[in-house]
Amino acid sequence: QVQLVESGGGLVQAGGSLRLSCEASGTISSLARMGWFRRPPGKQRELVATITTGGSVYYSDSVKGRFTISRDNAKNTMYLQMNSLKPDDTAVYYCNYVRLGVPGARDYWGQGTQVTVSS
């Protein structure tokens, strides 16, 4: 079992910055991928960015160049630095964890943290 706890959401004006954190606890694998997803109001959940324990990263086109994902493996914590925020970034942001190298491995999710960007 893996538990994920997000923090760092809030209200910010357009052009501002926020940093989200996701702390993982429980049975943490040395080979895993963590990521951020978001669900904008009235829309489906979408992928924002992912990072593996090896440091490989992926960004969706909508956040590339503005958001930076990172992780501290020693602390089992992942971060999302969000700069140049836009009202379209308003969403509930969810942390995700999945173990790699295990077919059918379960996805784990955090409870979500609200990010609201005002215009």
Side-chain angles (χ1 to χ4, degrees):
Q1 292 288 334
V2 175
Q3 296 78 42
L4 303 172
V5 178
E6 301 107 333
S7 60
L11 173 65
V12 64
Q13 289 188 331
S17 299
L18 282 175
R19 189 176 85 151
L20 305 183
S21 299
C22 173
E23 182 175 359
S25 61
T27 305
I28 306 299
S29 172
S30 60
L31 186 60
R33 183 180 66 239
M34 294 185 73
W36 292 98
F37 289 72
R38 65 187 182 187
R39 186 188 299 275
K43 298 182 180 180
Q44 292 187 332
R45 185 171 60 196
E46 60 187 31
L47 173 64
V48 176
T50 62
I51 185 168
T52 67
T53 45
S56 297
V57 300
Y58 168 84
Y59 295 98
S60 69
D61 288 343
S62 62
V63 306
K64 199 173 295 183
R66 301 187 297 122
F67 291 9
T68 302
I69 191 170
S70 61
R71 65 187 294 170
D72 184 332
N73 290 333
K75 296 182 179 179
N76 290 326
T77 301
M78 175 180 64
Y79 307 96
L80 185 68
Q81 178 65 43
M82 305 185 294
N83 298 329
S84 303
L85 283 161
K86 305 174 182 179
D88 284 349
D89 295 316
T90 295
V92 178
Y93 283 71
Y94 296 92
C95 174
N96 170 262
Y97 170 98
V98 63
R99 184 177 176 181
L100 297 177
V102 178
R106 173 186 168 180
D107 279 275
Y108 291 90
W109 297 93
Q111 80 285 355
T113 185
Q114 176 70 47
V115 171
T116 302
V117 184
S118 63
S119 57

